[in-house]
Amino acid sequence: MFFGLGWLAARVDIRHLLTESRALPASYFKGLNFLLNEQPDKAIEALIEVARADQQTVELHFALGSLFRRRGEVDRATRMHQNLVDRSDLGSSQRTAALHELAQDYLKAGLLDRAEALFQDLRKTEFSESALRYLLEIYVTEKDWQKAIETAEALEVATGNSYRSEVANFHCERAAMEYSHSRLEEAHAQIAAALEAHRKCVRANVMLGNWAQREGRHEEAVAIWKRIEGQAPEYLFLIAAPLIESARKLGQTPEALTLLRGWQQRYPALDLLGVVFQATLEEEGAESALRLVREELYRNPSLGALDKFLDAQLATATPDQRADVQMMRDLVHAHSSRLSLFQCGSCGFKARTFHWHCPACGGWDTYPPRRNAEGELSQAGSNRSGM
Ligand SMILES: [Zn+2]
């Protein structure tokens, strides 16, 4: 307690001294004190008093403004920054900085039109790169894909970084929009633009094949999907199920099954195995499906493959084995479906289905085409690493 009192006395003394000598207002120290005691509300009140009393404290205005915005008090942040913008005694670079803050306040408040206008103005200033990034965020939110494409291309020039996969994805988004409004010609033009922007844009061929299938052009659908092997074969699992479906319509299921088994051999993937397994089960029966999945389990052991293996075991089990196999299968299935998730390479967000656009961080093409549990048991196996 005495220590505390002594510390308090010393501090009051210093404060008094400083107030005297440097003419810093007492509320500044009060504010500082509240901040150190983790009482941000009181700190803000005290610091506002300083800012009001002493118009020279421009940096303090900036600090308070961004503090407000971070706390979600966008109205106060806006007022703080508007006040700075309106001041006549500020240099041009400080005024630009205040506009940059104000634009972010508008964005946070959801006033996208105002934010966009300010960021457009800021493109001609030292904040141009940051302005472009925010503009991109705005256009993606508004689903204004044409402007998003232009902004991503401007960012590519400004930063020297590649935005190819973003540009291709924006063309795909635009294609989907045009298609949903039955503007087929424009939709196809956008797909072509996506592939031109980024030759490896798998999404473009997935979509193109889906459209052909929906319109009953199954042969064309299969031909388009096959192109993905030349682009990035690890994504083939995305079209495996619809490919079998189209092949069935064409009466070419055995050929399609051979094709998919070849892919599974060369580019093993759990989701691909799932489709091959199901199709084999339906076409050739349980024994054949069991053989297929057992081979796969030995070749490429994973929890997911074990799950499929037990599925096949269940289908071929004799009545007295059934209960045991069922119990094992349910146990493994529960584990494997909990662990078998797609995970964003940028923010780590996990999802049951594959995404081109991360719902958490907004990244494009940030999901690797693999589930987490693939290769789960690979330490136990003799082959394959770095899955
Ligand atoms: Zn993410």
Side-chain angles (χ1 to χ4, degrees):
M1 195 182 76
F2 281 113
F3 173 77
L5 278 175
W7 181 76
L8 198 71
R11 200 190 41 145
V12 166
D13 226 324
I14 289 167
R15 191 180 86 178
H16 183 72
L17 213 86
L18 281 170
T19 313
E20 287 285 309
S21 61
R22 294 195 199 159
L24 271 168
S27 38
Y28 177 75
F29 291 93
K30 214 159 71 191
L32 216 55
N33 198 24
F34 284 132
L35 263 188
L36 293 172
N37 289 318
E38 289 177 27
Q39 291 175 271
D41 290 323
K42 288 184 177 171
I44 284 169
E45 293 309 328
L47 292 173
I48 284 177
E49 215 176 287
V50 187
R52 206 177 282 139
D54 184 358
Q55 289 293 315
Q56 298 301 311
T57 52
V58 172
E59 292 308 323
L60 187 58
H61 281 78
F62 274 112
L64 278 171
S66 69
L67 190 63
F68 285 144
R69 190 172 60 238
R70 236 177 310 141
R71 287 165 50 88
E73 297 180 57
V74 189
D75 282 353
R76 296 177 97 180
T78 308
R79 245 178 294 150
M80 209 86 201
H81 293 131
Q82 187 64 58
N83 182 38
L84 281 169
V85 170
D86 293 342
R87 276 170 64 167
S88 52
D89 59 329
L90 242 56
S92 77
S93 83
Q94 275 179 322
R95 190 166 178 279
T96 312
L99 281 171
H100 184 235
E101 294 295 324
L102 190 60
Q104 292 173 63
D105 297 338
Y106 287 151
L107 182 58
K108 181 115 184 204
L111 303 167
L112 300 188
D113 287 357
R114 285 196 197 181
E116 182 194 343
L118 278 187
F119 283 127
Q120 282 292 0
D121 289 343
L122 286 161
R123 283 183 64 173
K124 292 157 226 141
T125 69
E126 60 188 294
F127 293 100
S128 71
E129 214 178 290
S130 160
L132 281 170
R133 281 183 217 285
Y134 283 118
L135 281 170
L136 187 59
E137 191 183 320
I138 291 170
Y139 295 139
V140 167
T141 308
E142 290 179 331
K143 300 188 189 299
D144 188 335
W145 304 114
Q146 195 47 47
K147 283 188 180 161
I149 290 163
E150 286 158 22
T151 310
E153 280 169 350
L155 261 170
E156 206 161 45
V157 175
T159 62
N161 297 329
S162 169
Y163 279 81
R164 290 295 91 194
S165 105
E166 280 85 350
V167 170
N169 269 295
F170 298 158
H171 279 297
C172 287
E173 293 283 351
R174 173 120 188 249
M177 198 182 71
E178 301 291 353
Y179 193 84
S180 73
H181 289 99
S182 304
R183 293 190 289 264
L184 302 191
E185 203 173 317
E186 186 51 38
H188 281 269
Q190 287 299 322
I191 290 291
L195 286 165
E196 196 178 321
H198 188 43
R199 199 178 55 79
K200 291 208 182 259
C201 180
V202 171
R203 188 181 182 183
N205 280 329
V206 172
M207 287 172 67
L208 205 56
N210 288 348
W211 294 346
Q213 183 184 51
R214 189 198 279 195
E215 292 158 21
R217 290 176 282 118
H218 294 288
E219 215 166 316
E220 195 186 328
V222 172
I224 293 165
W225 286 325
K226 278 186 186 171
R227 292 180 203 154
I228 294 169
E229 185 180 5
Q231 287 185 300
E234 60 275 23
Y235 289 90
L236 284 168
F237 73 93
L238 287 171
I239 50 86
L243 190 141
I244 286 281
E245 209 179 290
S246 274
R248 241 179 226 135
K249 292 262 166 44
L250 293 165
Q252 297 172 350
T253 320
E255 290 88 337
L257 206 47
T258 308
L259 178 71
L260 290 191
R261 280 184 192 144
W263 283 348
Q264 174 60 21
Q265 291 264 330
R266 273 169 283 156
Y267 328 108
L270 197 53
D271 287 75
L272 195 53
L273 177 67
V275 175
V276 176
F277 169 68
Q278 196 57 39
T280 306
L281 191 67
E282 286 162 19
E283 288 301 307
E284 300 173 4
E287 290 293 340
S288 180
L290 178 63
R291 214 164 34 242
L292 170 105
V293 85
R294 175 189 280 129
E295 270 170 34
E296 183 56 35
L297 183 61
Y298 278 96
R299 200 161 65 90
N300 187 21
S302 74
L303 200 54
L306 180 62
D307 187 19
K308 297 277 177 303
F309 174 72
L310 291 171
D311 264 347
Q313 287 256 300
L314 193 60
T316 53
T318 57
D320 58 316
Q321 295 170 329
R322 246 192 114 71
D324 289 351
V325 180
Q326 177 88 51
M327 181 269 291
M328 281 191 280
R329 184 237 165 232
D330 290 349
L331 192 64
V332 169
H333 187 75
H335 270 285
S336 125
S337 54
R338 194 166 47 81
L339 291 169
S340 301
L341 298 168
F342 291 101
Q343 185 168 21
C344 174
S346 177
C347 74
F349 187 77
K350 291 176 187 166
R352 289 210 177 278
T353 52
F354 180 81
H355 290 281
W356 297 108
H357 184 205
C358 177
C361 72
W364 297 89
D365 284 346
T366 51
Y367 277 81
R370 292 233 158 266
R371 289 181 188 269
N372 271 342
E374 298 189 45
E376 185 81 7
L377 308 174
S378 55
Q379 303 94 311
S382 53
N383 54 359
R384 228 167 265 287
S385 58
M387 285 291 290

